[in-house]
Amino acid sequence: MISSIKIRNLMQETEYFRKTPELLLQFILYKLIADQGEALSLKAILAEGSVQAILEKISDEFRRLNQVPAYRDLFVQIIPVQLEMDIYTNEQAEDSFSFEQSTSFFSPEVIKISFLKNLGQLDLTDYSPNDWGEIYDLVLSLSSFKILRRRTPFGLVSELERLIIGLALTDKKGQQLSVYDPNVELGYLLTMAFNEKNKLNGHQKWDSYLLVRFNFLAHGIPEEQCQIQFGDPIEDDWQTDQAMPEKFDVVVSDLSKGESWSGHKELGVDYRFKHYTLPPKSMAEYLYILHGLAHLKDDGVMVVCLPAGALYRVGLEEKLRKELIEQHVIESLIAVPARYTTQARGNAVVMVLRKQNREKRSGIYMLDINDQMGFVFRLGNSLMQIFRNYQNQNIVPGRSAIASWEAIAANDYNLTILKYVMSRTPKTAEEQIEYQMSAYLREEQKLREGEQKLRRLMRRLDSDRYDQMLHKQRQRIDKIKE
């Protein structure tokens, strides 16, 4: 078993390893492969003597391994650097060489010979290149890489991921599916959807393709079964050789931490968004939904996790939410407690969307599992109960309901689940905040609209009358806040 101290020592060889764990992982992967007898040992490479010879030997091995299907393009190219002769001969100086990737993932950086010596001392004979989740976990946990989601330790599945994938695949067992995640991050949702049949597809906003590949490698996912494209999915649509946009059987994504977009008005004519209102720059969750719907087959299913605010925020987002609701594509909403999401605060919601049978849908099935979630996954069988409630659209007083389109319209297209299922007073602080915030934001929006109307009437009103009317509106908001 490799210890965190050994990984930390390797990482301390250069600050670059802490910022770019992909680079360290590829060297450890090489050591794994070498210890399995599939590559030249580091001991043999270091015996070459000169830095130039060492560089050439590693470069040859990396190039060879990049042609092996299981490790295709996992190893960056090494560019030899000519060093001053006195550095070679000075025993106090440590020989070094430079790394440069043939693509744009890594910038040139110096790595020391001492690192290769320390790496060579690791005994990884008990590990397999397809079973190294422990190493992957250790490197990511010790790095300073800004992972934009709370990672689940390797080998475990988060409750949220289990819920999303379970809802997405519950009626598609045994089928050969194309699965798409427009916000793939480290690829955990896709790894859960993997089997020998499914084709995995993902959009990557960062330059961290290797981290996703290493995660797939640790889960035994062949490269030919996954396709990752780079760029912001809102700005850079999914690229395909087909004349029409590519469609997928399943779309899944965790957007619970909130998403943003550029605000470029040109997207208003994009085929994905041209029939909808564009939201504020800091609230792009519904743009991701529209993007996913544009790439969802007519008989497909889309399951996404959103911050609870996406259900009740007003202004432009309210208009967009109304437009989406009127399409009748939202099938179900399931409330999720904050402790099971990537949000720093507040609850989240899992939204299920389907294009099929939307004309037969009388409303949105809403399920509140906040009180149950604490023991749902410890007991194990309660998750199946959630799936059964969802599949059968079971109505449980105070827990679930079907919110009709008329009721949603009457509530100004506010989708706060508690509004429709609650037959009790909110119990937790989170429930109270969510319920009150919805009312507060709507009153604040009314106040803004009222201020605009009042300003237009200012010339016909004296200032005292104006202040009095404004004060009454603010008192209403203060009362809601309390």
Side-chain angles (χ1 to χ4, degrees):
M1 179 176 291
I2 191 169
S3 69
S4 60
I5 295 176
K6 291 179 180 179
I7 295 292
R8 194 186 306 275
N9 290 340
L10 291 176
M11 194 169 284
Q12 288 174 346
E13 291 286 348
T14 172
E15 181 63 23
Y16 195 58
F17 283 152
R18 293 188 61 83
K19 297 176 180 177
T20 315
E22 302 98 313
L23 188 56
L24 177 58
L25 280 168
Q26 76 159 12
F27 275 101
I28 298 177
L29 177 61
Y30 180 83
K31 181 65 166 62
L32 277 168
I33 296 171
D35 283 0
Q36 299 297 314
E38 300 178 29
L40 193 62
S41 71
L42 287 177
K43 182 178 179 180
I45 290 175
L46 289 168
E48 292 294 322
S50 70
V51 174
Q52 188 71 22
I54 291 172
L55 288 171
E56 291 175 356
K57 213 63 170 175
I58 295 180
S59 295
D60 290 343
E61 286 295 282
F62 279 14
R63 278 193 292 269
R64 183 181 66 80
L65 289 172
N66 277 341
Q67 302 306 311
V68 177
Y71 314 122
R72 191 180 307 279
D73 299 327
L74 279 175
F75 297 92
V76 300
Q77 294 302 305
I78 300 173
I79 310 299
V81 174
Q82 298 296 327
L83 302 178
E84 297 293 333
M85 185 59 66
D86 59 347
I87 295 181
Y88 287 94
T89 57
N90 188 345
E91 295 181 357
Q92 301 301 318
E94 292 185 283
D95 294 342
S96 61
F97 52 88
S98 171
F99 264 83
E100 184 173 325
Q101 192 178 17
S102 58
T103 64
S104 61
F105 299 137
F106 303 119
S107 59
E109 185 60 58
V110 172
I111 187 169
K112 299 175 181 178
I113 290 295
S114 61
F115 163 72
L116 286 180
K117 293 178 179 178
N118 291 334
L119 181 63
Q121 293 173 0
L122 291 181
D123 182 10
L124 301 179
T125 53
D126 293 334
Y127 287 82
S128 163
N130 292 325
D131 185 26
W132 69 314
E134 178 189 351
I135 294 175
Y136 181 84
D137 246 1
L138 281 172
V139 172
L140 290 189
S141 64
L142 293 171
S143 72
S144 60
F145 184 72
K146 294 182 178 179
I147 299 171
L148 301 182
R149 54 156 286 161
R150 185 175 65 201
R151 282 194 319 109
T152 304
F154 188 87
L156 299 178
V157 178
S158 79
E159 294 86 348
L160 178 61
E161 290 160 352
R162 194 186 302 273
L163 181 62
I164 292 174
I165 296 299
L167 291 170
L169 304 183
T170 187
D171 61 347
K172 295 183 176 296
K173 294 179 180 178
Q175 301 180 32
Q176 183 175 348
L177 304 172
S178 57
V179 184
Y180 174 52
D181 184 351
N183 190 30
V184 72
E185 295 193 341
L186 293 181
Y188 285 102
L189 280 174
L190 290 182
T191 61
M192 278 201 64
F194 167 71
N195 59 34
E196 67 278 0
K197 295 180 179 180
N198 292 348
K199 177 72 175 178
L200 309 180
N201 307 271
H203 233 116
Q204 245 283 8
K205 285 196 292 187
W206 325 319
D207 288 336
S208 57
Y209 173 61
L210 289 183
L211 283 181
V212 182
R213 283 285 309 282
F214 285 133
N215 193 11
F216 288 168
L217 179 65
H219 282 87
I221 301 176
E223 186 199 10
E224 59 269 18
Q225 266 189 261
C226 56
Q227 180 183 186
I228 304 296
Q229 294 189 8
F230 293 100
D232 186 323
I234 305 303
E235 299 288 330
D236 305 311
D237 193 14
W238 183 262
Q239 300 299 309
T240 177
D241 295 333
Q242 305 170 17
M244 301 295 291
E246 188 169 356
K247 306 277 184 160
F248 303 100
D249 298 296
V250 176
V251 177
V252 292
S253 199
D254 179 9
L255 308 170
S256 61
K257 68 180 182 301
E259 300 296 332
S260 59
W261 67 292
S262 65
H264 292 155
K265 298 303 181 183
E266 293 81 0
L267 285 172
V269 298
D270 188 285
Y271 76 97
R272 297 167 294 170
F273 315 122
K274 64 182 180 180
H275 299 300
Y276 300 89
T277 300
L278 295 179
K281 293 171 63 175
S282 60
M283 301 172 185
E285 294 86 15
Y286 283 106
L287 284 188
Y288 276 82
I289 290 175
L290 294 176
H291 168 79
L293 287 172
H295 292 284
L296 183 68
K297 291 181 179 178
D298 289 341
D299 60 348
V301 57
M302 180 177 184
V303 184
V304 296
C305 185
L306 306 169
L311 300 181
Y312 54 74
R313 289 191 293 245
V314 295
L316 293 175
E317 192 173 23
E318 178 187 0
K319 294 180 181 179
L320 174 52
R321 186 170 61 245
K322 174 185 175 182
E323 293 160 356
L324 192 60
I325 290 170
E326 289 177 341
Q327 296 294 315
H328 292 189
V329 292
I330 303 176
E331 178 202 69
S332 302
L333 292 172
I334 301 176
V336 179
R339 60 186 176 277
Y340 292 107
T341 74
T342 59
Q343 284 232 99
R345 62 184 184 277
N347 290 351
V349 61
V350 171
M351 179 181 288
V352 183
L353 303 100
R354 295 179 190 268
K355 298 177 181 178
Q356 198 172 41
N357 298 325
R358 65 175 115 178
E359 66 282 352
K360 300 178 182 178
R361 218 163 279 149
S362 61
I364 299 174
Y365 178 70
M366 297 188 177
L367 176 63
D368 174 23
I369 57 177
N370 274 296
D371 289 346
Q372 298 176 343
M373 207 68 164
F375 58 83
V376 160
F377 299 101
R378 285 201 295 270
L379 296 180
N381 60 352
S382 295
L383 181 59
M384 297 307 299
Q385 183 62 46
I386 292 174
F387 291 147
R388 281 194 292 270
N389 285 338
Y390 159 73
Q391 285 182 300
N392 300 324
Q393 306 278 283
N394 291 335
I395 306 302
V396 181
R399 181 65 59 195
S400 61
I402 294 180
S404 69
W405 304 121
E406 294 77 16
I408 294 172
N411 276 296
D412 297 318
Y413 298 92
N414 185 320
L415 293 178
T416 300
I417 294 175
L418 291 176
K419 277 182 172 290
Y420 303 95
V421 307
M422 190 176 65
S423 59
R424 55 182 170 78
T425 303
K427 292 181 179 180
T428 68
E430 290 174 352
E431 286 181 349
Q432 292 172 1
I433 291 172
E434 179 179 338
Y435 196 66
Q436 295 293 341
M437 185 61 73
S438 173
Y440 163 65
L441 287 176
R442 185 154 302 284
E443 289 297 328
E444 187 179 48
Q445 175 71 7
K446 288 180 180 178
L447 175 60
R448 285 198 298 266
E449 293 174 353
E451 285 180 330
Q452 292 174 358
K453 292 179 181 178
L454 285 169
R455 287 192 185 99
R456 289 194 294 267
L457 296 173
M458 281 282 291
R459 292 179 181 176
R460 289 180 286 173
L461 291 173
D462 60 72
S463 59
D464 291 339
R465 176 62 175 159
Y466 172 77
D467 291 339
Q468 183 181 8
M469 295 174 69
L470 189 60
H471 179 66
K472 288 181 179 179
Q473 288 280 0
R474 294 197 181 280
Q475 280 183 321
R476 292 181 63 192
I477 293 179
D478 291 338
K479 186 175 181 180
I480 293 172
K481 287 166 126 179
E482 293 170 0

